[in-house]
Amino acid sequence: MTSEDIKEVIIAIIKDIDEEADFDGLDADKPLRDQLELDSMDFLDIVMELRKRYKLQIPEQDYPQLATLNSCVAYLQPLLQDA
Amino acid sequence: MRCSLLVIGGGLSGLAAAIRAARFHPDVLLVEKHSRLGGLNSYFYRNDTLFETGLHAITNHAAAGDRKAPLNRLLRQLKLQRGDFSFCQQLGSEIRFLGQASLLFSNDPEVLFAEVRAQFPESWARFQRLLSLVADYDPFTPAPFRSARATLGEVLDNPLLTEMILCPLMYYGSSRADDIDLGQFVIMFRSLFLEGLFRPAGSIKDILEVLAGQLRALGGTIRTNCAVHELLTAGDHVIGAQIGKGERVECDRVISTVGHRETLRLLGRSENAACEPTARLSFVENIFQHQPWPEWQSLPKRTIIFFNRGERFSFHSPQSQGVDFTSGVICFPSHFEGMPGRSLDELRTTHLASYGYWKALAGTPGRYLDEKRQTARKSAQTLADLFGSFPANIVYEDTFTPVTIERYTGKIDGAIYGSPVKFPDGRFGCDNCFLAGTDQGFLGIVGSMLSGVSMVNQHILPRL
């Protein structure tokens, strides 16, 4: 997957969690949680959806690496290169 | 038979836990010993009417757009929409300490604030300090018991106002006699006074059907009339359960919503009741179905009235009598905005009761039934004292004693709020079995469902 694909996947997952999420002006280097008002429960959904869709096992200690859109790309790209 | 997650108990916390897990892993089995789902919040039919067993009002009302509100967070976690339900907000409720003071509150917190300001002007500044404490306190980080009564005593320095604030919060969410943990107080204060009360336009059955439908749609399995008789273990690890009529199910993980001591019993472990710091709290609930009562038409329509006739407000099960009528809760289920009209009206009353007294009586069915009728009469008399009259045209009445509640829900001592000690992280000495619901500690309908969700988030999903 390209980095753009991965961004689209993350945004699609968040849209699925919250239909009303507003992505206008989203800064890819700032935490998703603050910008989209996601709480820790919502955040877990991103991890679980990635597991469900791509069979990715993301250990709890790696959750902080999914903080921003760009850090998601950096962390997921090696894991999803064949996806 | 085997499943990945076994959920014990088909009440609201069990249903929420099962839905949450099934969203990501459908191999979930939920077992309920009763023929109907709902647990403490179920329903039954009498006199051609559906009656709810436990529902007065649901706390934690929130506007649809308020993303951070517990109700909306819960719906997101379960992948349910507000439109799946039809909610009606309270008209307004009252805390009435007879001969002393009365405070109104509604889903607009300013109503309560104005009442406190008008009736306790000398305490208004201190009440604002309490509001800051409620806003700043983090009730979700597990902490040792801290007395809300003592804290309010210091902050408010007004015994009457302290008791009036505590009364509804204790009746709707304290498992502890004469006090409430400060964290639980903060949760309940927000849930009742800052968020507010509502109910389904129909009945609890509608909510249960949406939840059961969602669980099935996600691939989960529900078995009613299916008790768990024994949890099978290897050391501190649960490997399966003996369920239903001699069936054995193997499972990787268990969420138990039936209570701490109740789960220890299933594990065949000794339960030490002496570890509980105060006696469990038991209640009686009376339901009166009546034809419209014109004499009450001039009375202001209240949704819930929390009343106390004593000099002080005490909150413990009575010692020498079956029921303590000194205080209680009166609920008018039709007094919510937009409730569809019915030809018959319903009202409900709750009082503190003694489990031991009723348990002893239950051995003599004639006396037990007679005492139940007496209880309904005395509760009716209490209402007549409060309102000047009581409907003479009762078409159906029923009384649930602590023994009734124990029989239908399995809660030890019929204690609806469970153990006075809670297990906030759900752990109680097993490495793959966790508590959710009443004894985890989040109470009420929204609270218990969030309990189920958060225990699954914490213990099940990261390890599936």
Side-chain angles (χ1 to χ4, degrees):
Chain A
M1 266 192 205
T2 67
S3 58
E4 281 313 304
D5 292 338
I6 292 177
K7 281 184 187 172
E8 272 176 31
V9 164
I10 297 292
I11 285 173
I13 287 175
I14 295 173
K15 269 191 183 151
D16 203 30
I17 296 169
D18 178 16
E19 285 173 10
E20 286 157 31
D22 179 9
F23 297 93
D24 289 350
L26 185 74
D27 184 333
D29 286 313
K30 288 199 175 136
L32 290 162
R33 278 179 65 167
D34 303 347
Q35 299 181 82
L36 299 173
E37 290 191 349
L38 301 175
D39 59 32
S40 57
M41 289 175 137
D42 297 322
F43 193 75
L44 183 63
D45 282 23
I46 301 178
V47 175
M48 295 308 297
E49 282 296 335
L50 286 168
R51 179 177 309 179
K52 197 164 138 183
R53 296 181 189 192
Y54 303 104
K55 308 273 178 263
L56 277 184
Q57 290 282 356
I58 302 174
E60 269 178 285
Q61 62 267 27
D62 290 353
Y63 290 1
Q65 305 207 40
L66 302 176
T68 74
L69 209 48
N70 281 339
S71 72
C72 283
V73 171
Y75 178 77
L76 294 171
Q77 203 155 28
L79 302 172
L80 292 173
Q81 56 183 348
D82 301 327
Chain B
M1 189 182 177
R2 67 158 286 117
C3 63
S4 171
L5 175 67
L6 174 67
V7 177
I8 310 176
L12 289 149
S13 61
L15 283 163
I19 291 171
R20 181 66 189 157
R23 265 190 66 184
F24 303 105
H25 202 92
D27 190 13
V28 176
L29 173 64
L30 178 141
V31 292
E32 163 58 45
K33 120 178 140 171
H34 202 267
S35 56
R36 283 202 187 100
L37 296 171
L40 290 161
N41 268 296
S42 192
Y43 57 93
F44 63 99
Y45 295 94
R46 291 282 189 287
N47 200 33
D48 293 329
T49 311
L50 182 154
F51 291 101
E52 288 151 328
T53 57
L55 181 67
H56 278 193
I58 306 177
T59 61
N60 303 90
H61 181 266
D66 182 355
R67 290 183 43 82
K68 289 181 179 167
L71 173 65
N72 295 327
R73 293 174 64 195
L74 173 67
L75 295 176
R76 279 205 304 281
Q77 288 278 298
L78 300 179
K79 269 239 164 281
L80 293 168
Q81 312 290 326
R82 284 286 287 245
D84 294 333
F85 304 95
S86 177
F87 292 146
C88 300
Q89 296 194 57
Q90 68 163 329
L91 296 179
S93 295
E94 180 179 356
I95 309 160
R96 192 186 295 183
F97 277 36
L98 277 85
Q100 302 192 77
S102 150
L103 291 172
L104 303 179
F105 67 97
S106 76
N107 288 3
D108 174 3
E110 295 298 332
V111 171
L112 176 67
F113 302 165
E115 288 276 298
V116 172
R117 198 171 188 164
Q119 297 188 48
F120 295 91
E122 72 288 357
S123 299
W124 172 241
R126 285 174 165 273
F127 185 78
Q128 285 176 298
R129 253 190 266 167
L130 177 67
L131 293 177
S132 308
L133 183 152
V134 168
D136 298 338
Y137 196 88
D138 169 18
F140 299 106
T141 302
F145 178 83
R146 196 171 150 195
S147 164
R149 197 183 265 278
T151 305
L152 264 69
E154 280 166 37
V155 174
L156 293 176
D157 193 27
N158 183 326
L160 177 60
L161 181 57
T162 296
E163 288 180 353
M164 292 185 76
I165 295 295
L166 284 175
C167 172
L169 308 189
M170 285 178 156
Y171 260 109
Y172 275 5
S174 180
S175 56
R176 201 169 167 117
D178 286 322
D179 209 341
I180 180 168
D181 173 64
L182 188 61
Q184 179 68 8
F185 166 82
V186 167
I187 294 175
M188 293 303 299
F189 192 100
R190 293 175 185 166
S191 308
L192 257 87
F193 294 143
L194 304 184
E195 294 169 22
L197 305 177
F198 66 106
R199 63 158 290 131
S203 73
I204 191 72
K205 180 168 177 269
D206 306 334
I207 294 181
L208 293 170
E209 281 174 355
V210 169
L211 296 173
Q214 181 74 335
L215 177 53
R216 291 194 181 103
L218 291 166
T221 306
I222 299 174
R223 299 260 309 261
T224 51
N225 288 311
C226 184
V228 173
H229 308 294
E230 188 186 355
L231 284 169
L232 310 166
T233 54
D236 288 334
H237 198 78
V238 176
I239 52 171
Q242 208 63 49
I243 63 167
K245 294 182 181 114
E247 279 173 82
R248 188 186 159 123
V249 57
E250 284 164 31
C251 57
D252 300 327
R253 288 170 189 84
V254 180
I255 292 278
S256 172
T257 68
V258 299
H260 174 235
R261 277 166 61 199
E262 293 84 345
T263 307
L264 291 178
R265 284 182 185 177
L266 297 177
L267 286 161
R269 294 192 185 174
S270 62
E271 29 161 328
N272 192 349
C275 287
E276 296 182 355
T278 65
R280 291 183 168 222
L281 291 166
S282 305
F283 301 88
V284 290
E285 174 95 357
N286 299 287
I287 301 176
F288 302 96
Q289 187 189 31
H290 63 90
Q291 281 161 1
W293 184 241
E295 293 186 34
W296 280 3
Q297 259 162 17
S298 59
L299 295 176
K301 275 191 176 180
R302 303 276 185 253
T303 305
I304 315 277
I305 298 172
F306 301 88
F307 74 89
N308 174 44
R309 299 193 294 178
E311 211 171 294
R312 298 284 311 268
F313 172 60
S314 67
F315 190 70
H316 55 257
S317 290
Q319 302 291 318
S320 54
Q321 49 182 347
V323 181
D324 181 358
F325 296 97
T326 314
S327 73
V329 186
I330 306 162
C331 169
F332 297 88
S334 59
H335 292 180
F336 288 78
E337 272 170 36
M339 279 295 280
R342 283 184 181 183
S343 56
L344 294 171
D345 245 330
E346 187 186 318
L347 76 97
R348 313 176 69 109
T349 61
T350 306
H351 307 277
L352 286 150
S354 158
Y355 170 76
Y357 183 94
W358 288 98
K359 185 70 184 168
L361 267 185
T364 338
R367 279 192 57 211
Y368 176 83
L369 285 176
D370 188 50
E371 189 83 13
K372 266 176 55 157
R373 279 190 286 268
Q374 294 277 345
T375 296
R377 293 280 63 75
K378 284 180 192 161
S379 188
Q381 185 56 50
T382 305
L383 266 64
D385 295 346
L386 257 69
F387 301 130
S389 72
F390 185 80
N393 46 20
I394 300 288
V395 295
Y396 170 75
E397 70 181 30
D398 204 348
T399 298
F400 308 149
T401 75
V403 174
T404 323
I405 295 166
E406 186 179 51
R407 188 189 312 140
Y408 285 100
T409 69
K411 294 276 177 218
I412 289 174
D413 295 359
I416 55 171
Y417 299 137
S419 166
V421 187
K422 298 303 183 195
F423 299 79
D425 65 0
R427 292 178 201 274
F428 69 111
C430 281
D431 63 14
N432 66 337
C433 174
F434 307 94
L435 300 175
T438 313
D439 282 353
Q440 182 273 331
F442 300 165
L443 301 175
I445 288 180
V446 173
S448 65
M449 292 175 75
L450 279 169
S451 169
V453 164
S454 54
M455 289 304 102
V456 166
N457 284 351
Q458 203 171 321
H459 300 298
I460 309 298
L461 296 183
R463 279 161 208 94
L464 271 181

